[in-house]
């Protein structure tokens, strides 16, 4: 397993990012500003993440996705820890916005402080309904991890 930073052609990561965020235009908007990291296993990208500045003290985990056949093997957890190790050197905290269903995952990984909620985020910003399993996503909930 190897962590790498994707420089240059960030579009190569689009297919996997679309599994976590189904709107190509939305992803393209934050890919331009963000830093992209990946986990390689046998030269294959199996997990990737986008992080971008939120303000002078805060960075945002904007997207994290693991290939389906590798889910449940803790690659996303390892990626989050890796990102913490990088960004704690320059920022005071990291935030993540998520659907209600995924809050426990992020709390388990250190995002224990509630930050804010944007009502109807998924309704107002996406052309189609966003479903997380059987759960219709409406609001986005932000949590933070202080370094």
């Amino acid at each position: 397993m190897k962590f790498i930073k994707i420089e240059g052609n960030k579009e190569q990561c689009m297919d996997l990012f679309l599994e976590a965020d189904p709107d190509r235009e939305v992803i393209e908007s934050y890919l331009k500003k963000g830093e992209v990291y990946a986990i390689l296993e046998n030269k294959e990208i199996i997990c990737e993440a986008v992080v971008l500045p939120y303000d002078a003290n805060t960075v945002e985990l904007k997207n994290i996705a693991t290939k389906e056949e590798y889910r449940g093997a803790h690659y996303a957890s390892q990626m989050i820890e890796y990102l913490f190790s990088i960004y704690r050197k320059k920022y005071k905290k990291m935030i993540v916005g998520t659907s209600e269903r995924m809050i426990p995952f992020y709390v388990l990984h250190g995002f224990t402080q509630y930050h804010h909620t944007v009502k109807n985020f998924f309704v107002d910003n996406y052309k189609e309904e966003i479903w997380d399993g059987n759960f219709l996503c409406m609001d986005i909930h932000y949590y933070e991890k202080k370094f």
Side-chain angles (χ1 to χ4, degrees):
M1 180 176 72
K2 179 180 179 183
F3 292 93
I4 62 167
K5 183 175 182 182
I6 305 288
E7 304 281 0
N9 182 17
K10 298 175 188 176
E11 290 287 323
Q12 68 179 310
C13 302
M14 183 62 73
D15 289 342
L16 188 52
F17 284 139
L18 282 165
E19 291 185 27
D21 185 341
D23 191 308
R24 181 177 289 276
E25 290 177 22
V26 172
I27 296 171
E28 287 172 349
S29 72
Y30 58 73
L31 267 185
K32 291 176 187 173
K33 303 175 209 165
E35 295 183 313
V36 178
Y37 294 88
I39 296 176
L40 295 178
E41 191 75 68
N42 299 320
K43 299 183 182 180
E44 174 188 13
I45 293 177
I46 59 169
C47 181
E48 47 192 36
V50 180
V51 178
L52 62 149
Y54 183 80
D55 62 32
N57 296 312
T58 310
V59 67
E60 181 178 0
L61 174 57
K62 199 68 177 170
N63 189 324
I64 186 166
T66 303
K67 282 191 172 180
E68 189 171 6
E69 61 267 29
Y70 294 96
R71 292 180 191 154
H74 306 287
Y75 287 104
S77 301
Q78 292 176 67
M79 175 64 82
I80 289 170
E81 289 302 319
Y82 178 74
L83 295 173
F84 288 166
S85 73
I86 292 171
Y87 288 101
R88 72 172 22 107
K89 297 171 187 169
K90 185 176 177 183
Y91 294 92
K92 294 181 180 177
K93 63 185 171 181
M94 181 181 285
I95 63 171
V96 64
T98 189
S99 67
E100 188 174 333
R101 186 170 160 251
M102 291 302 294
I103 292 170
F105 171 81
Y106 289 107
V107 168
L108 180 68
H109 290 87
F111 293 91
T112 55
Q113 181 68 42
Y114 171 77
H115 193 269
H116 71 283
T117 296
V118 178
K119 291 288 196 187
N120 293 317
F121 175 86
F122 293 105
V123 175
D124 295 341
N125 291 286
Y126 289 86
K127 297 171 190 165
E128 298 180 19
E129 291 181 337
I130 304 296
W131 290 86
D132 189 358
N134 294 328
F135 181 79
L136 177 62
C137 301
M138 304 279 293
D139 306 331
I140 191 167
H141 308 278
Y142 285 85
Y143 281 76
E144 69 181 54
K145 158 78 173 171
K146 291 182 181 172
F147 298 131

